[in-house]
Amino acid sequence: MGPVGPPLAALRGVGVRLGATPVLRAVDLEVGAGQAVGLVGANGSGKTTLLRVLATLLPSTSGGGTVLGAPLDAPARLAVRPAIALLGHAPALYPQLTLDENLALVARLLGERPGRAAQALEVVGLAGARQRRAAHCSQGMLRRAELARALLTRPRLLLLDEAHAGLDPAASGLVALLVDDVRGRGGAAVLVSHQPRRLRPLVDRIVELADGRLRPVEEAGDAP
């Protein structure tokens, strides 16, 4: 599916240095409305750094761009953050609260009715674990809860770091459900994975980050 209208994320020559170390070098990336892009690369190649730039959490050292229409170097980027969902390696859940309490808090902040939290947990298969504290949940359960939170917040830009990490095969379809939901609403997604085969059915194209630069790998379905 091609982009419709202006890209939701557009990076132009973005470079990032962490201390004296260049992590990203002259990265160009466009993700249009309704698109999903897969991102692969070796450990330490800068994939998480790139997601943090797209999430407006990490400023670029050089270059620039826009995310959801906001320039990366302008205060307007703060206004678009609520429309961005970044699911990283560590779950963004309060460990002392139950899964239901965690999502009900998000629902209240969004002005949603409390029942939406229970519905989201049911969709990801956690209805029976609603009253379990996050600190007592397995990694797979926490990952499902994170997916439920993203379903609840309905982001315009979805960023998944190691999209299938911690999920058993039965839960892998939840990633596709979330990506389809975002794309169906005219949003966009960027998915990081060490498993390109699992990305191919979910994305329009796959790009690789190597030596701090992006290069195209394939269009979805090109490789067996």
Side-chain angles (χ1 to χ4, degrees):
M1 180 183 299
V4 178
L8 295 190
L11 305 184
R12 299 282 184 267
V14 164
V16 172
R17 284 181 172 269
L18 298 180
T21 304
V23 180
L24 301 180
R25 310 167 189 259
V27 167
D28 293 327
L29 177 66
E30 279 197 8
V31 188
Q35 282 191 333
V37 175
L39 176 60
V40 299
N43 288 337
S45 61
K47 301 185 299 297
T48 297
T49 298
L50 180 52
L51 288 189
R52 294 188 67 211
V53 170
L54 289 168
T56 75
L57 298 175
L58 182 67
S60 60
T61 308
S62 58
T66 60
V67 174
L68 302 181
L72 289 173
D73 59 354
R77 71 188 186 280
L78 302 178
V80 302
R81 280 185 185 169
I84 302 171
L86 171 61
L87 276 64
H89 296 283
L93 299 170
Y94 292 103
Q96 72 275 21
L97 298 182
T98 67
L99 298 180
D100 191 54
E101 289 169 339
N102 267 286
L103 265 71
L105 176 60
V106 173
R108 285 197 296 273
L109 291 173
L110 293 172
E112 297 280 357
R113 54 188 177 83
R116 282 283 318 281
Q119 289 174 352
L121 288 171
E122 183 174 4
V123 168
V124 301
L126 290 177
R130 286 175 50 200
Q131 302 308 319
R132 185 176 300 189
R133 294 182 187 272
H136 299 153
C137 291
S138 68
Q139 186 61 36
M141 294 173 67
L142 294 175
R143 193 64 169 176
R144 285 177 183 247
E146 288 275 86
L147 295 174
R149 181 169 59 86
L151 284 170
L152 186 62
T153 58
R154 296 170 60 82
R156 292 185 64 205
L157 179 61
L158 173 68
L159 307 170
L160 289 180
D161 201 351
E162 290 306 327
H164 298 93
L167 293 176
D168 55 69
S172 296
L174 296 175
V175 175
L177 175 69
L178 179 56
V179 172
D180 287 347
D181 176 69
V182 172
R183 297 177 73 177
R185 292 184 286 98
V190 179
L191 287 69
V192 166
S193 178
H194 281 102
Q195 305 174 64
R197 183 174 298 177
R198 301 184 78 175
L199 284 179
R200 288 176 191 131
L202 304 175
V203 301
D204 299 288
R205 68 185 190 276
I206 298 177
V207 295
E208 181 181 19
L209 190 56
D211 297 321
R213 294 180 170 86
L214 278 182
R215 68 177 184 89
V217 175
E218 61 195 35
E219 295 294 324
D222 279 356

